[in-house]
Amino acid sequence: MEKTLSIVKPDGVEKRLVGEVIKRFEDNGLKVIGLKMVAMSKREAEGFYAVHRGKSFFESLTTFMSSGPAVVMVLEGDNAIERVRDLMGATDPQEAAKGTLRRQFGSNIERNVVHGSDGPDTAGFEIGYFFHALEIAR
Ligand code: CDP
Ligand code: MG
């Protein structure tokens, strides 16, 4: 069974979408096996998004991600990485398919409500960034 990391970003928490996002995942066969709220510092947000360091949106993105609490979760299921990406939709809510979380709830390309790992390597890094082994159900 594949694992992936998802985040309800600070805009999603502010919009009271935590339950809605988790329900979408659960209704689509994904299982929550790790879950907590975090308040990332700017440094911690920069570490999480280190792959984007140097890009035009890095400064604004990491300020946004450290602007308030976020809910981080580990999801498990067949093809979990791709399925979460499909349920989220494209990065830009305006380009995301109808019915996806980002299309439905995203404000703009930065404030797009939800994060999902984009591959097995990043999923491994991202799960380890937030969770100790003991915090993941087995
Ligand atoms: O989150 P996703 O994998 O779809 O996109 P990304 O290219 O890995 O970018 C990470 C995050 O940076 C996005 O989810 C947006 O919040 C933000 N971003 C942005 O603010 N402006 C862009 N042009 C691209 C991404
Ligand atoms: Mg990404």
Side-chain angles (χ1 to χ4, degrees):
M1 287 273 236
E2 195 169 69
K3 292 180 180 58
T4 188
L5 182 97
S6 181
I7 305 178
V8 183
K9 297 184 181 185
D11 61 328
V13 173
E14 185 59 34
K15 289 177 173 175
R16 313 293 196 264
L17 292 170
V18 174
E20 186 91 30
V21 171
I22 293 175
K23 179 153 175 58
R24 187 73 53 92
F25 292 147
E26 290 188 332
D27 284 350
N28 283 275
L30 293 151
K31 185 177 177 184
V32 179
I33 60 166
L35 180 70
K36 62 185 170 187
M37 182 169 266
V38 297
M40 275 181 269
S41 66
K42 181 80 157 66
R43 277 293 165 77
E44 287 159 348
E46 288 171 0
F48 178 72
Y49 277 121
V51 60
H52 292 307
R53 190 178 285 279
K55 292 187 187 159
S56 59
F57 58 84
F58 183 74
E59 175 61 26
S60 179
L61 170 64
T62 52
T63 296
F64 160 56
M65 290 299 287
S66 58
S67 67
V71 171
V72 294
M73 69 192 91
V74 182
L75 298 163
E76 184 180 64
D78 291 327
N79 260 328
I81 295 170
E82 192 185 339
R83 283 166 63 203
V84 166
R85 300 282 305 183
D86 286 348
L87 293 167
M88 290 196 309
T91 309
D92 185 348
Q94 290 191 345
E95 285 166 18
K98 262 195 175 166
T100 60
L101 288 163
R102 284 168 162 175
R103 172 70 170 264
Q104 242 184 303
F105 303 117
S107 303
N108 55 52
I109 194 167
E110 177 180 89
R111 291 168 190 252
N112 56 8
V113 172
V114 64
H115 167 86
S117 309
D118 67 1
D121 291 350
T122 43
F125 167 76
E126 292 177 357
I127 291 168
Y129 196 79
F130 290 113
F131 289 89
H132 295 293
L134 286 172
E135 296 176 311
I136 298 173
R138 281 153 298 167

